[in-house]
């Protein structure tokens, strides 16, 4: 058994305006860093189907993204920092489709766990609104697919991106069998993620970190808050919203994590998945805007997934 790597060239064709941090070069840096890692099983992501998208999103949002007709070289603005280009709709469909395919490959016994090297990212996309560089909530689409197609009940998402995943929280809020836990800088965009946001049944767990917090504060938040709650939830599948913008070198935020912190968090999550659900973990790329830190952090994360995929 091994780790799957899910990606598609269409993810290069979501183009953002000049100077935008969420840029094509991010995915190139990630794939270049993963290329020398031996033993990954590579998959070409399909497009997510409409039914999978509609489990997580309102039809008006899905239609607005799929039906967008944007001439080559132009941008359709969604909000101050989110836009679509000619290739964005297919990129978004492949990004969500990667997570869906990773779920299917794990539950078919082809791989133990998987990493989706995709863009646009997803965790800010709410049920009815694209925002924060995100068009569709890739991880939420995959999580709800695991339920609809495979009959799993208790599904967890852990999000260590430096920003709070308001979109995943929004989609999971009213369902006690969907668990979302996040460490993130607070205050910071998008402004949600205070400790008092708990969901309908304590199924949302927010562990905000003050600007300047580093390895010690992050690991304490994981050990005292995120991991015990995940254990109590007893997940049947674990998803990771893997953003690497909490790295000290990242230009968009001011946490001080290093590659070793991401590797450590990945190990802890894989350990819980091994105890509760045969190691089933799908991780999907969210943020990370310093290309060097993004590449080295992603490689550290995927090396742990690979190491944990061998029983
Ligand atoms: Zn982020």
């Amino acid at each position: 058994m091994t780790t799957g790597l899910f990606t598609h060239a269409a993810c290069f064709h979501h183009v953002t305006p000049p100077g935008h941090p969420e840029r094509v070069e991010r995915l190139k840096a990630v794939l270049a860093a993963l290329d020398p890692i031996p033993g990954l099983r590579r998959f070409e992501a399909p497009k997510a189907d409409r039914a999978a998208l509609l489990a997580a999103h309102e039809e008006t949002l899905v239609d607005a993204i799929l039906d967008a007709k944007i001439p080559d070289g132009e941008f359709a603005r969604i909000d101050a920092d989110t836009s679509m280009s000619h290739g964005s709709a297919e990129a978004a469909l492949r990004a969500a489709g990667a997570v869906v395919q990773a779920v299917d490959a794990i539950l078919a016994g082809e791989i133990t766990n998987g990493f989706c090297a995709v863009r646009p990212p997803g965790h800010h996309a709410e049920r009815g609104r694209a925002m924060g560089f995100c068009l569709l909530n890739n991880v939420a689409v995959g999580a709800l697919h695991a339920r609809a197609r495979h009959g799993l009940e208790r599904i967890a998402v852990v999000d260590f991106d430096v920003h709070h995943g308001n979109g995943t929280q929004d989609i999971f809020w009213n369902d006690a069998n969907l668990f979302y836990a996040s460490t993130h800088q607070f205050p910071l965009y998008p402004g949600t993620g205070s400790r008092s946001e708990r969901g309908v049944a304590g199924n949302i767990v927010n562990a905000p970190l003050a600007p300047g917090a580093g390895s010690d504060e992050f690991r304490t938040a994981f050990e005292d808050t995120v991991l015990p709650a995940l254990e109590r939830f007893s997940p049947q599948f674990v998803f990771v919203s893997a953003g690497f913008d909490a790295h000290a070198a990242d230009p968009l935020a001011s946490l001080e994590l290093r590659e070793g912190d991401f590797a450590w968090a990945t190990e802890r999550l894989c350990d819980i998945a091994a105890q509760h659900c045969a190691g089933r973990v799908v991780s999907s790329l969210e943020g990370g805007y310093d290309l060097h830190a993004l590449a080295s952090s992603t490689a550290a994360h995927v090396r742990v997934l690979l190491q944990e995929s061998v029983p």
Side-chain angles (χ1 to χ4, degrees):
M1 293 292 265
T2 185
T3 295
L5 172 61
F6 300 81
T7 189
H8 195 281
C11 293
F12 293 125
H13 302 308
H14 166 59
V15 179
T16 51
H20 197 288
E22 203 295 283
R23 56 207 191 275
V24 171
E25 288 73 18
R26 296 180 61 243
L27 185 56
K28 291 187 176 162
V30 163
L31 292 175
L34 299 182
D35 199 48
I37 299 179
L40 294 174
R41 184 162 165 194
R42 284 147 206 281
F43 293 80
E44 188 161 270
K47 296 179 186 173
D49 66 34
R50 190 176 172 82
L53 302 179
L54 289 176
H57 291 293
E58 289 171 13
E59 194 158 27
T60 46
L61 172 63
V62 171
D63 287 342
I65 289 170
L66 299 195
D67 297 344
K69 297 276 180 290
I70 301 148
D72 220 355
E74 293 183 20
F75 300 103
R77 268 272 150 78
I78 291 172
D79 66 21
D81 45 31
T82 313
S83 59
M84 291 183 68
S85 68
H86 182 70
S88 295
E90 184 176 351
L93 284 174
R94 300 277 183 189
V99 184
V100 167
Q101 186 187 33
V103 168
D104 290 344
I106 289 172
L107 291 168
E110 297 171 29
I111 52 172
T112 301
N113 57 35
F115 180 72
C116 302
V118 294
R119 59 183 289 282
H123 73 154
H124 293 304
E126 297 179 344
R127 190 169 283 283
R129 178 165 62 151
M131 60 179 275
F133 313 167
C134 302
L135 300 178
L136 299 169
N137 195 313
N138 309 319
V139 164
V141 169
L144 292 167
H145 169 81
R147 167 182 280 178
R149 182 67 58 82
H150 299 283
L152 299 187
E153 288 170 358
R154 294 183 314 284
I155 297 168
V157 173
V158 176
D159 183 336
F160 55 66
D161 187 281
V162 80
H163 302 95
H164 180 243
N166 60 292
T168 314
Q169 173 168 301
D170 171 60
I171 294 165
F172 281 23
W173 186 271
N174 286 314
D175 191 324
N177 286 323
L178 298 175
F179 172 95
Y180 174 73
S182 174
T183 54
H184 46 273
Q185 184 180 322
F186 188 87
L188 188 67
Y189 181 90
T192 49
S194 75
R195 240 175 246 289
S196 61
E197 296 165 26
R198 308 277 331 270
V200 72
N203 55 311
I204 306 288
V205 176
N206 285 308
L209 298 166
S215 179
D216 289 350
E217 293 89 343
F218 172 72
R219 293 188 190 210
T220 299
F222 240 66
E223 285 185 326
D224 291 357
T225 305
V226 171
L227 298 177
L230 180 61
E231 290 256 34
R232 281 194 298 275
F233 179 72
S234 188
Q236 293 173 304
F237 208 111
V238 176
F239 292 83
V240 182
S241 267
F244 300 99
D245 41 8
H247 193 284
D250 197 273
L252 263 56
S254 41
L255 294 191
E256 301 289 333
L257 301 193
R258 304 285 177 185
E259 287 76 354
D261 296 308
F262 297 117
W264 174 87
T266 308
E267 266 177 33
R268 299 283 79 76
L269 295 173
C270 286
D271 286 350
I272 291 180
Q275 287 161 31
H276 290 273
C277 52
R280 296 194 284 252
V281 174
V282 170
S283 173
S284 190
L285 181 66
E286 300 283 1
Y289 304 99
D290 177 86
L291 294 185
H292 181 74
L294 171 64
S296 55
S297 299
T298 307
H301 173 65
V302 171
R303 284 183 192 280
V304 173
L305 290 176
L306 191 57
Q307 176 190 310
E308 299 278 340
S309 73
V310 182

